[in-house]
Structure formats: C-alpha cells, structure tokens
Amino acid sequence: MILLQSSFVTSCEGGLLAFQSRPKFRPPELSRPVPGVTGLLPFGSRAPQALFGRTASPRPPRRACSECSRASSLNSVARDVLQLGAIVYVPVLLVTPLLEEATVLSQVSWKRQFEILAEFSENSNVRAVFVFVLAMQGVGSPIDSGAMFFFYTDKLNFTAKFLGAVTVSGNVGSVLGIVVYHTLLRHFQIRPMLAILTLVNATVAAVSLIQVLRLNLDFGVDDHIFTLVHTFFTRLVAEMLFIAAVVLSAHLCAKSIEGTTLALFISVSNFGHMQAGLSSAGLTAVLDITRDNLDNLWVLSLLCCTSMLVALPLVPFLPVLDSEPKDFTSASRGRVISG
C-alpha cells in the first residue's frame, strides 16, 4: 500500500513541477499606462492630483481572457491533485493501530547500547560497508535529474501528464526490482552480486547518452518510449543494488541493537544521497549548464555514469557472506565467513 501511495504522490509531484516550471503568464489587463505618468499603475488605483497634476483615465471594461481562464483552471487542477495526494495517506493512519508488534521481553540500558555501538563501529567489516555505501550513494551517484528535467520539458517538450507517467514507470521498476531480488538473487553471495549490479547499473545509466545526443532518432525510437523504458530499467537495477547493500548491512547488525545499527547504515546511505545532490549541483555549475544552455549536458551525463564505478574497487574489502537461507523459518540471517 505504501509503495502504491508513494508512486502516486511522486508522479503527481513530477507533473506539478513541470507545470510550475512553465513561464509565468501576466494578463495584459493587470496594468495600464496612466497619461502623464511614467510607469504603470494597477487598476483601481488613483493618482493624487496634487502629485501628478491629473487623474487617471477611467478604468476600461474587463475583457474575457482565454489565457487567464486556462491558468485559473490549471491552478485548480494542481490544488485538487495535491489534496488527493494527501488523502491517500489516510488509510495508512487507519491501518497502523491494527498492526501487531512483538513484545520486547528485555531492554538494554542506554549505557550498554552505547558500549555495544562503540564496539560495533570498531569492526573492520562495518567500516568497509560504511565506506562502500557512502561511495555507492554519494561519490558514485551524482544526480543529473535537475538538468535532465529541463531537457525533457524544454528540449523534448514533454507535458506534465507524461512526466507523471515517467515517474510511475520508475516506481513500477523499483517494485519489480524488489520482486526480482527476492525471487532470483537472494540465494547468491552478496559480494559478487554487488560487483555485477554496480557494473550493470552504470551501463544502464549510460544509455541516457543516446537520448541526450539524439541518437535514438537515428534508430527510429520515439523519445517518449525511450524515456519510459530507460527510467523503468534504471530504477529496477538501482533498487536491486540498494536492496543488496541493505541485506549486507543487515547481516552485520549488532545483537540487542539491531534497529539502531540498521538505522545507522540507512543514515549513511541518506547522507551519501545528499552528497550526490551537492556533487550534481557543483558539476552543473562548473559545466555552465542552465535551462537555456544544455550544450554540456552530455558531459554531465557521462560523468554521472562513470562515477558509478567508484564503488567497484571497494567490493573486495567487503565481508564475504553466505547466501540467504532458502527456508526463512529455519534461520533469519546468513553468517560472516572469515577470511
């Protein structure tokens, strides 16, 4: 349910962002020249006679403006979409009290939790995973979505409705990535799988260069179809790579504070994602990429794709783990193999 809600809300956000990025329309009736006065005065205002020496001409009658009506209609649609996006979270609030939680028989004191966390951070395997996740999500994943957004809207003239469909396509790919991992990949060892998925992730991301350089038109592939398919496979592979990294982190969680240590791994991943955004902003500024100048967009896309391979040399330093057990009723975690 949460995945479907996230898909709907993010698709709405993509469409609304496309609508907001459009040039602002200023109705011609909002301002008019006043005889004898330099500049513009809004309707309904009267220039003082003592200051200007003459009064404004009578207000002309308002005329129907199709652009004004269209802008008002779009604003109304935007409000309706935002309201609907907020309502879809209501079922989660209603179902949450019905969920059953396991009773915690014993609690570890705060002092003991800090001691376990300190011992946990001194583990070389843990530090290796921290560095790998940070490289994978941060240094290895600068985001070119900001520049690509203007490429989609200004260069390819994608509509807000289609951008919402692109977001839905990506979310479907993410859900399918979870299913594929759970069905086909969970019995493989984590370290070789991370190396393979890192290579595949960089390769799939590099396919965007075909569209940026407009080579897809030479093969007769429409931009709309190309964007939908590419977004789907990009999110599918990225989700499998992220799940593999989460599984690796879960194997190393310290006993008695599993939730805390897993949250620590996720925090490192989120910090890396934030660094990816900063790296993208820096590269965009250095390459002088703006909404009106997308000449160096292919360079940014190439740098983003190649940087995904930064985490690859760190794979040999990760702990070697058994595959996940085929029967989850017999065991819940694999074991770390020394060596």
Side-chain angles (χ1 to χ4, degrees), residues 284-327:
T284 303
V286 169
L287 296 174
D288 193 26
I289 298 176
T290 62
R291 182 169 188 170
D292 301 323
N293 180 20
L294 298 174
D295 296 337
N296 293 327
L297 179 60
W298 70 272
V299 180
L300 177 63
S301 298
L302 181 61
L303 291 175
C304 292
C305 298
T306 54
S307 63
M308 293 181 179
L309 301 175
V310 171
L312 193 60
L314 302 176
V315 173
F317 299 96
L318 297 175
V320 181
L321 300 176
D322 277 340
S323 60
E324 293 187 25
K326 296 182 180 180
D327 184 8

Side-chain angles (χ1 to χ4, degrees), residues 66-86:
S66 60
E67 288 291 336
C68 294
S69 302
R70 183 169 180 268
S72 176
S73 176
L74 289 175
N75 286 330
S76 177
V77 171
R79 287 194 299 268
D80 294 339
V81 170
L82 289 176
Q83 292 174 358
L84 184 59

Side-chain angles (χ1 to χ4, degrees), residues 35 50 62 64 76 150 164 186 273 311 322:
R62 286 186 177 272
S76 177
F150 293 119
R186 65 185 180 90
H273 190 71
D322 277 340

Side-chain angles (χ1 to χ4, degrees), residues 239-255:
E239 189 68 25
M240 290 191 294
L241 179 60
F242 177 74
I243 292 298
V246 171
V247 171
L248 176 63
S249 304
H251 277 284
L252 300 175
C253 287
K255 188 178 181 180

